[in-house]
Amino acid sequence: MQSTGTHDPTTTPTHCPYCALQCGMNLTPVEGGTVEVSERADFPVNRGALCGKGRTAAAVLAPGARLTSPLVRSGDGALVPAGWDEALDRIAGNLERTRARYGADALGVFGGGGLTNEKAYALGKFARVVLGTSQIDYNGRFCMSSAAAAGTRAFGLDRGLPFPLEDVPRTGCVILVGSNPAETMPPSLRYFTELRENGGTLIVVDPRRTKTAEQADLHLAPRPGTDLALALGMLHLVVAEGRVDEAYVEERTSGWEEARAAAMAHWPEHVERITGVSVPELREAVRLFCAPEAAMVLTARGPEQQAKGTDTVGAWINLCLATGRAGRPLSGYGCLTGQGNGQGGREHGQKADQLPGYRKLTDPAARRHVAGVWGVDPDSLPGPGRSAYELLDALGTDVRSLLVMGSNPVVSAPRAAHVEERLRSLDFLAVCDVVLSETAQLADVVLPVTQWAEETGTTTSLEGRVLLRRRALTPPDGVRGDLEVLHGLAGRLGVEKGFPTDPEEVFEELRRASAGGPADYSGIDYRRLAQENGVFWPCPAPPAPDGTGATDSATDSSVGTGTGTAPHPGTPRLFLDRFATDDGRARFVPVAHRPSAEEPDDEYPVLLTTGRVVSQYQSGAQTRRVAELNAAAPGPFVELHPRLAARLGAAEGDPLAVVSRRGRAVAPARITTGIRPDTVFMPFHWPGEGRANTLTNPALDPTSRMPEFKVCAVRVETVTP
């Protein structure tokens, strides 16, 4: 696809394949069948800046780094090359045999937050229409599902950020909770730097003194698992010091009295004992947050990946509501989505309980609408299935065959050794991926699929900005797109129509399916995305010429671009007039601190928390194949405080074993004063002996079903070489 505007005609403007910033970049083909990445200054989010992962993204396109032929499991147990017909026939045949013997719900589908909107949409449709199974979820459940649940509960709608990133430098104070953008999304750090240059203040809440925390005006280092108590302690002080915006609470919220009573049970000295954050620090945080006219709270995986993550995020939202910091210019609560399409990936049907357009699978009207677009009986659509970890836990017993697309749960799932065992116990496993990931290595069939630079499709960034990724490169022979895979499987399983291979055709259907839903894309098309550098949802289609609404007109492929009515401009900023609840008011939800699912004891006296490093991404399946990134971050480590190291008799670089109730991981010591003495940290990008998720706790949040990745009890031991 040729570029538009002032770009060199041989250069394609597109977006990075990694995090949810979806940084703009230019791709120019070079010899060797790959592309050269260069900066793209016209995209407003990164303004040309790229992190190391983005700069080196083309390395995974190179021959030798990626799969170029289907693989099938031979009689001697090895994965050997095969043709596409043989591979697809084997997958379809095994899925059909499993369904005939055990029923449709014995078939599982596990998707990914990196899939384009078109792929996520088609995968959800494939599971429900072709397979007839309820057993579909995706790795985005491990990303920001707690924030989504809390945002929906409070505001009636979940969108990662209800405002564009450009608003961040213009507010007065930002509380950044459990986020380290200096390493997880480096181009975004400029927004926080500009905030401070403009006279605003930055408060970072993190048990580690990260590179982001070093930039803060105030760093609060709570004990892992106590962010909920910290937020409640701050709200207590807001009330006690008379800082509640009473007029706002009266006019725009409901449920304040119950939430206020819950917060008042968390007095500052009590919170200090729970969190380790001193009362003076609490008071200073409240002062900084309440002093300016506008302020924001932004959360990430720290408070969200807990068995009480929904309530924890809810407590931070309550703080915003009590101080009038939501639904007003330059103020609000937002979540920094992690995965590249973490937002869009959960909006269009690959989540266990959702249909396209962020509709609820249990809503009869939603079922009728989507079934009408799909041309099926609403009663034929299965109900909600298991959440991600629950689905993985059921493999080999209730779920006998699994299709994985764009995920690597052998490394990324909690209690990973158990998940690996469950994957091995399956009757049949098929994996679609660009590389031979650790999960693909266990598969009976592996399908090599196209990458970001080899296909066109849309993603939705952390801002709720729908973007167009453009194809810049012809994929190698032997590689097909995920849409082609689903088309081929659907036909073999008896569904000849409804699974096109052209992404724009899929998007046109997605628009119709989303029309009238909370995440309404019906007014967006590829032409607009190319011309406008993205469009913020919701963006409903304008009425048709006959005066019917967007839902009725959505069967027309010209919806959103018809004559006579201007297209909807999109919605960069949500909630300025009303919240998305029935009465337009935001809802306070009373919450109370409770211990983590697993607290330290004599046998496991230390807390483990996990996270990322700047030069690797998620399970590392792609970034670990890039020499420059591996040189910067060659392997796992155990970060610990000098006092804990002294008690263990450990020196820098010594091998340490971290042991939990679920397993053991070994990695070199990295000693720093930038972590609490009662806590150790491990990055989760690596498999094998240093796999951090061998240790993590799959205890689930009762609302979001998010596992408790961010805190578990461990002991640390020295290892004799």
Side-chain angles (χ1 to χ4, degrees):
M1 179 180 293
Q2 287 193 342
S3 61
T4 59
T6 60
H7 296 282
D8 184 320
T10 63
T11 294
T12 302
T14 190
H15 296 274
C16 180
Y18 292 118
C19 83
L21 284 181
Q22 288 297 279
C23 292
M25 58 170 56
N26 288 320
L27 301 182
T28 304
V30 295
E31 290 186 12
T34 185
V35 291
E36 180 180 72
V37 175
S38 59
E39 65 182 40
R40 178 185 164 196
D42 70 313
F43 187 60
V45 173
N46 63 308
R47 291 175 268 169
L50 294 170
C51 73
K53 295 185 291 292
R55 285 188 297 96
T56 61
V60 187
L61 298 165
R66 47 91 60 83
L67 295 167
T68 55
S69 170
L71 303 173
V72 299
R73 189 74 60 183
S74 66
D76 64 2
L79 282 172
V80 298
W84 271 93
D85 284 341
E86 178 186 352
L88 291 172
D89 287 346
R90 189 176 293 201
I91 295 173
N94 276 280
L95 294 177
E96 189 56 67
R97 283 189 289 274
T98 297
R99 182 167 59 182
R101 182 173 182 183
Y102 299 105
D105 274 357
L107 302 176
V109 177
F110 199 85
L115 300 180
T116 62
N117 290 316
E118 292 81 358
K119 294 178 186 180
Y121 172 83
L123 188 62
K125 181 181 179 182
F126 177 83
R128 296 181 173 104
V129 172
V130 178
L131 301 182
T133 183
S134 66
Q135 301 303 301
I136 175 172
D137 211 80
Y138 79 127
N139 64 15
R141 179 77 67 171
F142 300 156
C143 179
M144 56 174 293
S145 56
S146 292
T152 301
R153 194 165 68 177
F155 306 130
L157 181 68
D158 155 50
R159 195 180 83 184
L161 292 180
F163 40 73
L165 277 167
E166 67 184 43
D167 286 0
V168 170
R170 301 162 57 208
T171 192
C173 177
V174 172
I175 303 179
L176 197 57
V177 189
S179 178
N180 182 17
E183 298 204 61
T184 58
M185 45 182 67
S188 72
L189 192 64
R190 68 168 59 185
Y191 291 99
F192 303 101
T193 301
E194 290 170 7
L195 165 74
R196 300 184 69 213
E197 290 173 349
N198 291 341
T201 55
L202 176 63
I203 302 170
V204 171
V205 179
D206 199 304
R208 304 167 59 223
R209 188 162 181 79
T210 63
K211 292 180 180 178
T212 304
E214 290 173 354
Q215 308 299 313
D217 298 281
L218 178 64
H219 173 215
L220 307 179
R223 183 174 177 267
T226 64
D227 311 86
L228 175 52
L230 182 68
L232 288 165
M234 289 182 65
L235 183 53
H236 178 111
L237 285 171
V238 165
V239 175
E241 295 175 359
R243 298 180 184 270
V244 175
D245 188 333
E246 301 285 359
Y248 172 93
V249 169
E250 175 66 25
E251 179 183 351
R252 299 204 60 188
T253 73
S254 62
W256 167 234
E257 290 305 319
E258 294 84 355
R260 177 185 180 280
M264 296 314 288
H266 298 77
W267 61 95
E269 292 76 14
H270 178 52
V271 169
E272 180 181 67
R273 288 193 293 272
I274 294 171
T275 65
V277 176
S278 70
V279 173
E281 288 176 311
L282 280 173
R283 292 189 184 278
E284 178 65 0
V286 169
R287 185 189 70 80
L288 291 174
F289 183 66
C290 293
E293 183 178 345
M296 299 173 179
V297 172
L298 305 178
T299 67
R301 307 301 79 77
E304 298 162 19
Q305 288 181 327
Q306 298 184 31
K308 52 181 182 291
T310 302
D311 284 355
T312 300
V313 173
W316 290 104
I317 291 175
N318 286 350
L319 179 66
C320 290
L321 294 177
T323 54
R325 308 305 177 89
R328 284 178 167 173
L330 307 181
S331 286
Y333 163 77
C335 169
L336 298 176
T337 311
Q339 295 192 77
N341 197 29
Q343 182 68 53
R346 69 179 181 280
E347 295 169 3
H348 298 300
Q350 66 171 332
K351 196 174 178 184
D353 55 354
Q354 285 178 350
L355 289 170
Y358 229 147
R359 288 180 159 94
K360 293 183 181 298
L361 191 53
T362 53
D363 178 1
R367 293 170 68 88
R368 284 193 302 271
H369 174 80
V370 174
V373 174
W374 289 350
V376 300
D377 184 343
D379 292 338
S380 71
L381 299 178
R386 292 175 172 88
S387 70
Y389 179 76
E390 292 166 304
L391 173 57
L392 295 171
D393 191 40
L395 300 181
T397 52
D398 295 335
V399 177
R400 308 299 294 252
S401 293
L402 182 69
L403 172 65
V404 176
M405 189 171 280
S407 188
N408 188 19
V410 165
V411 179
S412 64
R415 198 186 173 195
H418 172 72
V419 169
E420 181 177 347
E421 178 186 320
R422 292 292 85 218
L423 285 161
R424 292 181 184 277
S425 73
L426 283 164
D427 295 348
F428 181 77
L429 172 63
V431 173
C432 304
D433 210 330
V434 298
V435 297
L436 192 64
S437 69
E438 287 71 26
T439 302
Q441 291 171 28
L442 305 181
D444 298 287
V445 178
V446 182
L447 299 180
V449 291
T450 50
Q451 299 193 54
W452 56 288
E454 301 163 348
E455 59 187 10
T456 294
T458 62
T459 62
T460 306
S461 75
L462 79 170
E463 302 176 297
R465 189 195 304 251
V466 185
L467 302 165
L468 182 63
R469 281 189 192 165
R470 299 166 172 91
R471 174 171 168 163
L473 195 65
T474 300
D477 292 339
V479 174
R480 296 184 183 180
D482 295 277
L483 296 178
E484 294 178 272
V485 170
L486 295 176
H487 174 84
L489 290 176
R492 285 167 171 79
L493 291 166
V495 180
E496 299 292 339
K497 296 182 178 180
F499 290 88
T501 59
D502 176 47
E504 188 167 6
E505 187 176 347
V506 176
F507 190 79
E508 289 300 308
E509 183 179 301
L510 181 157
R511 294 171 63 199
R512 299 194 298 272
S514 74
D520 190 336
Y521 284 30
S522 61
I524 305 172
D525 60 22
Y526 275 28
R527 178 190 59 80
R528 284 194 67 182
L529 294 177
Q531 291 180 348
E532 299 177 30
N533 242 339
V535 179
F536 291 87
W537 73 261
C539 183
D546 62 1
T548 57
T551 301
D552 297 322
S553 66
T555 55
D556 180 356
S557 64
S558 66
V559 67
T561 60
T563 60
T565 304
H568 189 285
T571 314
R573 295 169 181 87
L574 296 171
F575 314 138
L576 294 180
D577 298 319
R578 70 190 308 275
F579 294 97
T581 55
D582 291 341
D583 60 5
R585 291 171 172 266
R587 303 185 187 100
F588 282 98
V589 177
V591 294
H593 173 72
R594 57 186 184 272
S596 298
E598 190 174 81
E599 291 287 335
D601 57 20
D602 290 343
E603 188 175 2
Y604 300 97
V606 177
L607 290 168
L608 168 71
T609 192
T610 63
R612 287 168 49 188
V613 296
V614 67
S615 295
Q616 300 289 352
Y617 180 72
Q618 305 298 75
S619 74
Q622 295 187 44
T623 52
R624 285 187 273 111
R625 288 167 167 78
V626 179
E628 180 180 329
L629 300 179
N630 279 335
F637 56 86
V638 180
E639 186 177 280
L640 72 165
H641 193 275
R643 287 198 305 219
L644 178 56
R647 288 203 301 271
L648 295 168
E652 180 77 12
D654 284 354
L656 294 177
V658 182
V659 184
S660 78
R661 290 176 173 85
R662 289 153 295 281
R664 181 176 187 265
V666 177
R670 182 173 294 183
I671 301 172
T672 173
T673 57
I675 191 168
R676 291 174 56 96
D678 58 2
T679 301
V680 295
F681 166 84
M682 290 188 71
F684 58 75
H685 309 290
W686 288 274
E689 187 179 51
R691 181 174 58 185
N693 277 321
T694 297
L695 308 168
T696 49
N697 191 351
L700 301 179
D701 180 286
T703 303
S704 67
R705 315 309 287 169
M706 167 73 85
E708 191 154 69
F709 286 98
K710 277 297 183 278
V711 54
C712 69
V714 298
R715 66 174 180 268
V716 185
E717 303 168 340
T718 55
V719 176
T720 303

